[in-house]
């Protein structure tokens, strides 16, 4: 397990490996599994996000009655209106609302890295994959990058809202999403880290 982003960067440079592969190999070592087992686990996590998004039900409400239905409203809105921040971001917001509501309504909970921030990473990655038809293998590589960054944050600071406030959850999830999407879009290792730093500082 890595204690800092610099450790990951140094490993990438010394071994001549990409960021995602360094994290994959660290997972193999940490859990004593082979590459196929590690990749299968990541594929299961990706599928869990997909299924949680697919299984959204806009008609249900949480036990308190405070959550539910907003994802459906946003989905209907973007079909008939021009979003201020564009089609892609409108869809990201919709998917994030859906995931958060599914969590609150006790449907499948996707903690990425926490249930409180469950909408961020799935919304960004699933929407990007749908808009740009990215191969699953590339999405899984992005997931490894998100996992590596999230692990460093958990090691050095915190990801729990109970401990660090809502910004600990949203900040870490946004950082993970920013690094993953920057890699998927072809960013260099430095650009990946810079994107994560901007997201973390801003949120």
């Amino acid at each position: 397990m890595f204690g800092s982003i610099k450790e990951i960067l140094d490993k990438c440079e010394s071994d001549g490996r990409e960021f995602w592969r360094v994290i994959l190999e660290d997972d193999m070592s940490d859990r004593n599994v082979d590459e196929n087992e590690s990749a299968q686990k990541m594929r299961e996590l990706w599928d869990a996000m997909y299924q949680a998004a697919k299984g959204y039900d806009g008609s249900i409400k949480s036990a308190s009655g405070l959550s539910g239905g907003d994802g459906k409203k946003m989905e209907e809105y973007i079909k008939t209106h021009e979003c201020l921040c564009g089609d892609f971001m409108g869809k990201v917001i919709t998917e994030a609302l859906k995931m958060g509501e599914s969590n609150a309504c006790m449907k499948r909970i996707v903690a990425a890295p926490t249930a409180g921030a469950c909408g961020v990473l799935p919304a960004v990655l699933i929407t990007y994959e749908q808009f740009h038809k990215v191969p699953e293998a590339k999405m899984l590589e992005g997931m490894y990058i998100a996992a590596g960054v999230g692990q460093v944050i958990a090691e050095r600071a915190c990801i729990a809202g109970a401990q660090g406030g809502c910004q600990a959850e949203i900040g870490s999830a946004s950082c993970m999403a920013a690094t993953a999407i920057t890699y998927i879009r072809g960013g260099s290792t430095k650009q990946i880290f810079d994107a994560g730093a901007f997201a973390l500082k801003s949120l």
Side-chain angles (χ1 to χ4, degrees):
M1 293 177 68
F2 295 100
S4 71
I5 293 297
K6 186 177 185 305
E7 284 182 31
I8 300 174
L9 181 57
D10 289 346
K11 185 73 172 173
C12 291
E13 292 176 347
S14 65
D15 293 1
R17 282 172 162 70
E18 287 191 83
F19 185 175
W20 72 269
R21 177 154 285 280
V22 167
I23 302 304
L24 179 148
E25 291 174 357
D26 183 62
D27 177 56
M28 291 165 56
S29 174
D30 185 56
R31 297 194 298 118
N32 194 29
V33 297
D34 63 24
E35 184 170 336
N36 286 336
E37 289 174 297
S38 178
Q40 180 57 33
K41 181 64 177 177
M42 191 59 78
R43 192 171 290 108
E44 289 171 5
L45 295 173
W46 171 245
D47 187 59
M49 290 182 180
Y50 236 104
Q51 293 306 317
K54 189 177 177 182
Y56 173 76
D57 183 350
S59 67
I60 63 172
K61 292 279 188 180
S62 63
S64 68
L66 296 174
S67 295
D70 288 334
K72 183 178 180 181
K73 289 177 185 176
M74 186 66 186
E75 187 172 46
E76 291 171 351
Y77 179 85
I78 64 174
K79 288 178 181 176
T80 56
H81 295 74
E82 182 179 346
C83 291
L84 183 63
C85 49
D87 292 342
F88 177 77
M89 282 306 299
K91 179 67 172 169
V92 169
I93 293 166
T94 300
E95 291 302 320
L97 284 169
K98 287 181 175 182
M99 196 68 69
E101 288 176 358
S102 292
N103 171 21
C105 296
M106 302 308 291
K107 296 197 74 178
R108 188 165 196 173
I109 298 172
V110 176
T114 62
C118 66
V120 179
L121 188 63
V124 171
L125 295 188
I126 290 171
T127 303
Y128 192 83
E129 187 269 346
Q130 290 174 344
F131 265 64
H132 299 284
K133 311 302 180 191
V134 181
E136 183 185 72
K138 192 71 172 181
M139 300 305 299
L140 296 182
E141 290 171 6
M143 291 271 287
Y144 274 107
I145 287 175
V149 170
Q151 185 267 318
V152 170
I153 295 171
E155 181 75 16
R156 295 181 68 90
C158 68
I159 59 174
Q163 182 181 1
C166 294
Q167 68 270 27
E169 295 185 279
I170 287 295
S172 54
S174 298
C175 178
M176 291 164 67
T179 55
I181 206 69
T182 301
Y183 167 77
I184 291 166
R185 285 179 58 83
S188 66
T189 301
K190 183 180 185 303
Q191 288 172 328
I192 291 167
F193 290 140
D194 286 348
F198 276 120
L200 196 61
K201 288 190 292 185
S202 298
L203 295 160

